[in-house]
Coordinates of all heavy atoms in Angstrom, one line a residue:
A161 N -22.1 17.3 5.9 CA -22.2 16.8 7.3 C -23.7 16.7 7.8 O -24.1 15.8 8.4 CB -21.4 17.8 8.2
A162 N -24.5 17.7 7.4 CA -25.9 17.8 7.8 C -26.6 16.6 7.2 O -27.5 16.0 7.8 CB -26.5 19.1 7.5
A163 N -26.4 16.4 5.9 CA -27.2 15.3 5.2 C -26.8 14.0 5.7 O -27.6 13.1 5.9 CB -26.9 15.4 3.7
A164 N -25.5 13.8 6.0 CA -25.0 12.5 6.6 C -25.8 12.2 7.9 O -26.2 11.1 8.2 CB -23.5 12.4 6.8
E165 N -25.9 13.2 8.8 CA -26.5 13.1 10.0 C -28.1 12.8 9.8 O -28.7 12.0 10.5 CB -26.4 14.3 10.9 CG -25.1 14.3 11.6 CD -24.9 15.4 12.7 OE1 -26.0 16.0 13.1 OE2 -23.8 15.7 13.1
A166 N -28.6 13.5 8.8 CA -30.1 13.3 8.6 C -30.3 11.9 8.2 O -31.3 11.2 8.7 CB -30.6 14.3 7.5
C167 N -29.5 11.3 7.3 CA -29.7 10.0 6.8 C -29.4 9.0 7.9 O -30.2 8.1 8.1 CB -28.8 9.8 5.6 SG -28.9 8.0 5.0
A168 N -28.2 9.1 8.5 CA -27.9 8.2 9.6 C -28.9 8.3 10.8 O -29.2 7.2 11.4 CB -26.4 8.5 10.1
G169 N -29.4 9.4 11.0 CA -30.4 9.6 12.0 C -31.7 8.7 11.7 O -32.3 8.1 12.6
R170 N -32.0 8.8 10.4 CA -33.2 8.0 10.0 C -32.9 6.5 10.2 O -33.8 5.8 10.7 CB -33.5 8.4 8.6 CG -34.9 7.9 8.1 CD -35.3 8.6 6.8 NE -34.4 8.1 5.7 CZ -33.6 8.9 5.0 NH1 -33.4 10.2 5.3 NH2 -32.8 8.4 4.1
W171 N -31.8 6.1 9.8 CA -31.4 4.7 9.9 C -31.4 4.2 11.4 O -31.8 3.2 11.7 CB -30.0 4.4 9.3 CG -30.0 4.5 7.8 CD1 -31.1 4.7 6.9 CD2 -28.8 4.5 6.9 NE1 -30.7 4.7 5.6 CE2 -29.3 4.6 5.6 CE3 -27.5 4.4 7.1 CZ2 -28.4 4.6 4.5 CZ3 -26.6 4.4 6.1 CH2 -27.0 4.5 4.8
L172 N -30.8 5.1 12.2 CA -30.8 4.8 13.7 C -32.2 4.6 14.3 O -32.4 3.7 15.1 CB -30.0 5.9 14.4 CG -28.5 5.9 14.2 CD1 -27.9 7.3 14.8 CD2 -27.8 4.8 14.9
R173 N -33.1 5.6 13.9 CA -34.4 5.5 14.5 C -35.0 4.1 14.1 O -35.7 3.5 14.9 CB -35.3 6.6 14.0 CG -34.9 8.0 14.6 CD -36.0 9.0 14.3 NE -36.1 9.3 12.9 CZ -35.5 10.4 12.3 NH1 -34.8 11.2 13.0 NH2 -35.6 10.6 11.0
Q174 N -34.8 3.8 12.8 CA -35.4 2.5 12.3 C -34.8 1.3 13.1 O -35.5 0.4 13.6 CB -35.1 2.3 10.9 CG -35.9 1.3 10.1 CD -35.5 1.2 8.7 OE1 -35.2 2.3 8.0 NE2 -35.5 0.0 8.1

Side-chain angles (χ1 to χ4, degrees):
E165 283 190 14
C167 176
R170 195 168 64 244
W171 289 352
L172 286 168
R173 286 191 297 260
Q174 193 180 329

